[in-house]
Amino acid sequence: MKRIFFVVLLTLPSQAATAAERPNVVILLADDLGYQDIGCYGGPVKTPTLDGLAAGGTRFTDFYSGCAVCSPSRATLLTGRHHIRTGVYSWISDGSQNSHLLKREVTLAEVLKSEGYATAHVGKWHLGLPTGRRDKPTPDEHGFDYWFATWNNASPSHENPSNFIRNGKPVGKLEGYACQIVVDEAITWLDKDRDPKTPFFLNVWFHEPHAPIAAPDEIVEDYGKLNDRAAVYSGTIDNTDRAIARLLKKLEALDPELKNTLIIYASDNGSYRDDRTGGLRGAKGQNWEGGIRVPGIFHWPGKIIADQAVNEPAGLVDVLPTVCGLLSIDPPADVHLDGSDVAPLLLENDAKFTRHQPLFWHLQKSRPIVAMRDGKYSLVADPDYELSRNNMFQEAWIPKIKSGGYTNFRLYDLSKDPQQTQNLAGDEPEALARLKKKLLEINASIMSDGNDWHLE
């Protein structure tokens, strides 16, 4: 199980741009970073780079991951669809599971590649990679021309990792820290491995601050003793901010002042540390606010409103449709997108934003197992069935998950009670009935698309 941050950087042109004029797109994703880790969200870590992006752009106060754990959240980010539709029910263990991001899914990389973009993925992947026993798609089969990745976490830790793979070939031990190594690879690709005349999509997914953690001593000392896990945790985030600063410097060399670059920053799920969720209920792996609410920053000088805080709920599920909207690109045809285009919230125009479908989460080992955000309301529920107590996701559970129902519905008004302490189910029966109907309709649609891996 994991958590993450991500940043998306996009360079945007005129509305009727040709392929050669298209903006560049860069996504930066952090792993297991909480709602209140970084400075601009009131966190204790020094993050001047990210704080600068927030000051120059729009910051969402209610931004959400695609899931409370890693793999499904990443699948949602790349597709704009609920992760169960994409074949990903929980975090993926390649050695013991058939699960992976289905090849039939249309990713953001594939959308942009069809528009003439060069595409690259660097960093953690965790959407399935081949093993000796199982043949699974690699990032190049999901639209990336170039990839430099790990199956899951940096191993043995963020320091001197030895498990990176470059375009299908193991790299071996690398010196340094994962976030800096990933940025080194991104910069090298920008310099040497792409056609400078074409726009690019660079997908940068960091490993920090997911455990096992490590950061340079001189950074950790700014936050406490070297053996203090909280200090090391903060050090990994600080080190990542410094790595992002190096990448932004390179991007600014290609696009002065980032005038033609859109940047989106967020996390894949909440922190595993209870002291980094901003006082929200729950943490990583749970469908309470602390497990799914994360930072979300959109930055595009001269286009996106600067120094703005938006309270409208949004999330990783909205990234693909929003990128398409901002770039005037058609979204995938004949594909149900669970996310919405939030561009009207970002740009200085009179367009009105209406979410076509509430935000919805499902994670089989979480209690509550489902959650839905619709306006100010949060609705959660437990399963009306039992699964084994095995902590690892079992593909044999899928038939029960697909056919199962829910019980113990609880309703919260997040505008007044973000900590989810006061259950309003008995006080607002009409709202409960209306939202419950929506939740069950969304759930039925998603489960009808879910792949049954245990039959393969």
Side-chain angles (χ1 to χ4, degrees):
M1 299 171 68
K2 317 171 172 136
R3 304 184 181 218
I4 309 168
F5 267 62
F6 82 91
V7 178
V8 180
L9 300 158
L10 301 158
T11 308
L12 302 167
S14 63
Q15 290 297 310
T18 65
E21 297 171 329
R22 290 284 188 196
N24 302 312
V25 179
V26 183
I27 295 183
L28 305 175
L29 182 65
D31 193 348
D32 279 11
L33 189 130
Y35 180 71
Q36 200 170 69
D37 268 321
I38 64 174
C40 57
Y41 278 83
V45 184
K46 301 170 188 175
T47 53
T49 307
L50 296 174
D51 297 350
L53 292 177
T58 290
R59 178 175 64 87
F60 282 86
T61 63
D62 294 36
F63 199 81
Y64 290 93
S65 64
C67 185
V69 294
C70 176
S71 301
S73 194
R74 294 163 185 266
T76 293
L77 164 61
L78 281 183
T79 64
R81 285 158 57 79
H82 191 275
H83 53 86
I84 288 178
R85 297 188 198 272
T86 76
V88 184
Y89 286 79
S90 184
W91 68 275
I92 294 172
S93 174
D94 283 313
S96 62
Q97 297 171 0
N98 295 315
S99 304
H100 58 76
L101 177 61
L102 292 164
K103 284 184 67 175
R104 71 186 184 211
E105 292 298 309
V106 181
T107 68
L108 181 58
E110 291 171 303
V111 171
L112 295 178
K113 189 171 182 177
S114 70
E115 296 290 328
Y117 280 70
T119 58
H121 170 86
V122 294
K124 181 175 177 175
W125 180 242
H126 210 193
L127 289 172
L129 285 175
T131 65
R133 298 171 53 200
R134 290 173 173 82
D135 183 21
K136 300 185 180 185
T138 48
D140 55 291
E141 296 176 87
H142 290 299
F144 292 101
D145 303 321
Y146 181 99
W147 59 280
F148 174 79
T150 58
W151 275 275
N152 188 346
N153 306 316
S155 179
S157 75
H158 301 145
E159 185 177 12
N160 302 333
S162 59
N163 60 329
F164 274 95
I165 303 166
R166 182 183 290 116
N167 298 325
K169 297 181 180 179
V171 176
K173 184 177 180 179
L174 296 168
E175 298 293 327
Y177 291 88
C179 59
Q180 301 291 349
I181 290 169
V182 166
V183 164
D184 286 342
E185 191 77 14
I187 291 173
T188 298
W189 181 78
L190 290 169
D191 281 338
K192 300 179 179 179
D193 293 292
R194 65 178 183 91
D195 182 351
K197 297 180 181 179
T198 63
F200 61 82
F201 170 38
L202 178 59
N203 196 44
V204 185
W205 287 0
F206 295 106
H207 300 80
E208 290 85 351
H210 193 287
I213 55 177
D217 288 353
E218 61 271 20
I219 297 178
V220 175
E221 288 174 341
D222 286 341
Y223 301 97
K225 296 181 179 179
L226 297 181
N227 61 354
D228 180 350
R229 302 303 289 173
V232 180
Y233 174 94
S234 294
T236 70
I237 299 167
D238 186 319
N239 197 25
T240 303
D241 189 78
R242 299 181 190 207
I244 293 170
R246 291 201 300 118
L247 180 57
L248 293 186
K249 183 178 180 181
K250 178 62 182 177
L251 293 169
E252 288 174 336
L254 301 174
D255 172 24
E257 299 182 4
L258 300 176
K259 288 293 187 180
N260 203 36
T261 299
L262 165 69
I263 302 173
I264 306 170
Y265 174 81
S267 175
D268 74 328
N269 46 249
S271 177
Y272 50 86
R273 293 189 60 92
D274 290 332
D275 59 342
R276 299 301 177 89
T277 63
L280 299 173
R281 185 173 181 176
K284 172 184 176 179
Q286 299 174 314
N287 281 329
W288 297 110
E289 288 288 292
I292 55 178
R293 194 187 292 198
V294 296
I297 300 167
F298 289 68
H299 177 97
W300 182 14
K303 299 292 184 179
I304 285 178
I305 301 170
D307 197 23
Q308 175 185 227
V310 172
N311 297 325
E312 181 75 28
L316 296 188
V317 71
D318 301 323
V319 168
L320 184 148
T322 301
V323 170
C324 289
L326 288 169
L327 301 186
S328 297
I329 294 173
D330 291 333
D334 301 321
V335 172
H336 177 86
L337 294 180
D338 294 290
S340 296
D341 176 5
V342 301
L345 300 172
L346 305 172
L347 304 176
E348 291 184 344
N349 56 37
D350 296 327
K352 300 297 183 182
F353 171 72
T354 301
R355 180 168 295 282
H356 74 280
Q357 175 184 300
L359 298 165
F360 176 85
W361 297 268
H362 182 287
L363 183 61
Q364 82 291 334
K365 295 299 288 185
S366 170
R367 297 296 179 272
I369 191 173
V370 289
M372 188 181 77
R373 176 75 192 263
D374 190 18
K376 66 180 182 179
Y377 286 112
S378 167
L379 181 67
V380 303
D382 296 330
D384 65 359
Y385 56 91
E386 293 293 331
L387 297 173
S388 74
R389 302 186 67 84
N390 194 319
N391 285 327
M392 181 72 71
F393 176 71
Q394 305 294 304
E395 289 170 337
W397 295 342
I398 291 176
K400 186 172 285 189
I401 290 171
K402 285 169 64 69
S403 63
Y406 306 110
T407 186
N408 191 22
F409 284 86
R410 287 146 285 171
L411 180 67
Y412 303 94
D413 180 348
L414 296 180
S415 67
K416 300 176 181 177
D417 179 27
Q419 289 78 30
Q420 297 172 292
T421 61
Q422 185 177 0
N423 178 13
L424 302 176
D427 298 329
E428 300 191 29
E430 292 182 0
L432 175 65
R434 174 174 55 85
L435 295 172
K436 181 178 176 180
K437 182 175 183 293
K438 287 186 180 183
L439 184 148
L440 294 176
E441 288 173 349
I442 295 170
N443 182 81
S445 172
I446 288 169
M447 293 305 171
S448 68
D449 281 348
N451 197 60
D452 201 340
W453 290 106
H454 90 288
L455 298 177
E456 301 190 16

